[in-house]
Amino acid sequence: MAPTGDTVSLDAARTALSGACDDVREATAADAVDGVPASLVARPASTAEVGEVLRAAAGHELAVVPRGRGTKSTWGRAPERADLVVDLSRMSAVLDHAAGDLVVETQAGALLADVQAVVGTAGQRLALDEPVPGSSIGGTLATNSSGPGRLAVGTARDLLIGVTVVRADGVVARAGGRVVKNVAGYDLGKLVIGSFGTLAVVTEAVFRLHPVAPARQWVTVGVDSAGRAQELAQRVVHSQLVPAAVEVDWPGDGDGGAGSLGVLLEGTPAGVETRTAALTGLLGGGTAAGTAPAGWGRYPWDDDGVTGRATALKATVALSGVAGALDAGRRAATDAGTTLSWRGSAGAGVLYGALPATAGPDAVAAVLGPLRAACAAAGGALVVLDAAPEVEAAVDTWGPVPAIDLMRRVKERFDPERRLAPGRFVGGI
Amino acid sequence: MSVTHGTTTTAGPVPGDTPPEATSATGDAHRHSAGIEAVGRVARAVLPVTGVLSDPTQLRTYECDGLAHYRVTPALVVLPETTEQLAAVVRACAAHGVPFVARGSGTGLSGGALPRADGVLVVTSRMRTIREVRRADQRAVVEPGVINLAVTRAVTGEGYYYAPDPSSQQICSIGGNLAENSGGAHCLKYGFTSNHVLGAELVTPQGDVVALGGLAPDSPGYDLLGTVVGSEGTLGIATTAVVRLVRLPEEVRTLLVGFRSTDDAGAATSAIIGAGIVPAAIEMMDALAIEAAEAAVHCDYPAGAGAVLVIELDGAAVEVEHEYAQVERFCTEHGAFELRPATDAAERALIWKGRKSAFAAVGRISPDYIVQDGVIPRTALPEVLRAIAELSSSSGVRVANVFHAGDGNLHPLVLFDDAQPGAGKAAEQVSGAILDLCINHGGSITGEHGVGVDKAAYMPRMFSDDDLDTMQLVRCAFDPDGISNPGKLFPTPRLCGEVPGKRKHAHPLVEAGLADAF
């Protein structure tokens, strides 16, 4: 394409975009995507307008970065270019809540919290945690963010039943539908979840809902080693107590050994009380509370006291590899002269790690090596979700990705000109 | 007796007709015979002698799957025992442009494993090893020919089971389940195959072996696994699957409830769901389905019932206790005249026997029938059931209803006697009209049986050209030559051509007006 700085072509692009959408403006510094300055921002009001905007962008060969509320816009790698930010915040409506069918249809720019408020009036919830406050539906899907509740109800892939997307060429397409059970056609929803905006712009989504349990209880127990955390997590997941979440919390600034395991039980008041008693017996102690322990459902890099831009890690492992990953990361951090705080689902095998901003590229690289090996040995992977630019530039953030060739071919079909969030995803996609 | 499934009205084939791709396949067979011979040579070189079938009599035993009115004899059948053997055959198919179709146990109800006359049928029934049971990880690693129920049997002793439970679970294979994203009675609470398959080794249509997902969740990159599951064999062949094992619940309560009408049973279902209870299953059968089940398996359902519900609750004992009391109350409030809880495993099995045998049982009351599979929003149930009843009375075609009431997945059984002139056609029309009802109520043309060859012609009623073209982008990324189960799932043959935007000239077939390019 013409260089971004080419004002003539940018003027022409702006004119075309303004014909497609009545809210197009020059980008400001605040619109930069992970440090990459944007040129223009369009705020379309409907799926059809997103289609028009993307068609105009295609005509002018603009690189397009979709944005929900921008709460995770530094995740993934920085895009190579960001000529146009397509901001979905005007598409914030919760379109339809079919309470009797336990289904909600929403625009992608809607705040997750707004969706919860709507469906909550019927005693229902969209069973997606909101680890980053202020997240939109679209951003949640694009990054596939999840929290403690994934243990029992899964993640976006288990809840999304219909999706409307706009392709790089402006074509609007739908997949799935409004019913929970449906096997007609390819499940494009799964493909766009976690795709970081590189395949298409999600404009609308339909989710299945769950009833809100009348009672909740958290049981927290101290653990003095990663091995102990795994041992207790194993006891809980192999029990018949039906835990809603099993979380490990292991701050890096503690005395080296002190962490905790937190278990959430949900159900009827009497049932939760009985199960809580059984759980404390199983854990050999623990403190029960009706409110979540500090930090519950938050990423460790967002904790109070974390200053500067921490390096954010996501480690996935088979359940028998939880302790191995926790220990490998912690040991490597100590060896590199830094600290690693862990928090995540010991019951699902998804652990989030935070290295402080003071850990430079060398220290981060020194942690990634052994930690990535430990995750791989446990059937999982390690990715760097977010990091300071100098760290991001120096390390392999996504790591090795099996089937990358097939992924590239999918990308080529959906976005042959590489204009959607180019470079942000695995393998430079 | 013939058993048919699904239906089309004017748009597609009717029983006895040759499906469109079979016609074209016959034409192609001649052209591809050199290719078949080449693939056969490769297969004989890498497979055991009993693993390659080309004798016409043997080939004919594979001419259909569970949807028996579509029949095509494949040109070659291979039964690989390893991933390497299977991949070698697929590579040979790719090299010679020969289409292939994967088949597990052949129980599918949409013709998804219908062979190609010009192609190879790849049967996975000799890949039947449960490679690993990893209790600590709550996972098992299995080969595609492993029978669904065998997974549960292998892990029950350790307190676990495999949750997706299609009615055919005693014979259907995990590979077939993966291709079709199979559900079952308990998917209301536990989800479908896509929620329980976390990894797979896939032989791509080029014959490459790739790992998708794995033991741990959230593999980096696109969720290709989620796209492959339910793609009906059009994106390659899975040669292993990593499946989730679910802890056996502390308590299971199964309740058989008799109602005077389907309206009452539907209202009770709504009350239960509305109260925030997620039962493991709520199944409904109407009077005709009950009559059939009684005739076949003597399940002793409540006499005189216009509808029965089979309700199952599971989970922590103390929670199940509470929910059970609520369910009893809701049923009674909505006119239940008999509540019969299973008091032991034998009674529970008998209750489920009536439900799970319902399709086959209909053969006791009708010489021929069509098994339909459609989905509606659950709240539209009373309205749609009334509309089906009206269709039935106005056409004189009897319809028995068996369905997953909790999630609105209908399985109307349309009864007819093919010996009577016009009866098959009339049944087809009623069956098609039921699908239209599903679409008009915002539902789906298939909840679990798949599109296959049977409903490909219906896809444009549910999806726009742009929707289908976008799905086709995925197909083209995986299978640019269109050799993996062609003719299934999508209504029109399309060519992938070059990557869009880079294409310079139209494909010769497009220029000749013989195909749509993409």
Side-chain angles (χ1 to χ4, degrees), chain B residues 256-260 302 305-309 331 335-340:
Chain B
L256 179 69
V257 192
F259 291 89
R260 295 290 170 208
V308 295
L309 287 180
C331 288
F337 67 87
E338 185 169 343
L339 285 86
R340 198 188 298 162

Side-chain angles (χ1 to χ4, degrees), chain A residues 332-362:
Chain A
T334 304
D335 290 349
T338 185
T339 58
L340 173 56
S341 290
W342 281 119
R343 184 180 294 146
S345 181
V350 178
L351 307 165
Y352 298 96
L355 290 162
T358 51
D362 290 348

Side-chain angles (χ1 to χ4, degrees), chain B residues 26-97:
Chain B
T26 312
D28 288 345
H30 182 69
R31 223 182 305 153
H32 282 288
S33 58
I36 288 289
E37 278 172 30
V39 175
R41 278 194 298 276
V42 170
R44 284 187 190 87
V46 298
L47 267 66
V49 66
T50 58
V52 185
L53 310 180
S54 53
D55 172 72
T57 315
Q58 289 180 308
L59 293 178
R60 211 165 297 130
T61 61
Y62 290 94
E63 68 184 359
C64 67
D65 62 7
L67 183 55
H69 76 273
Y70 292 111
R71 289 169 194 266
V72 175
T73 304
L76 188 73
V77 172
V78 297
L79 299 108
E81 294 172 0
T82 66
T83 299
E84 292 69 29
Q85 291 172 1
L86 193 152
V89 171
V90 170
R91 267 195 302 276
C93 287
H96 298 281

Side-chain angles (χ1 to χ4, degrees), chain A residues 1 71 76 85 164 183 187 213 227 280 285-286 305 307 316 337 342 345 348-349 366 374 399 403 405:
Chain A
M1 70 160 271
T71 60
V85 169
T164 303
V183 295
D187 193 346
T280 48
T307 53
T316 57
W342 281 119
S345 181
D405 291 342

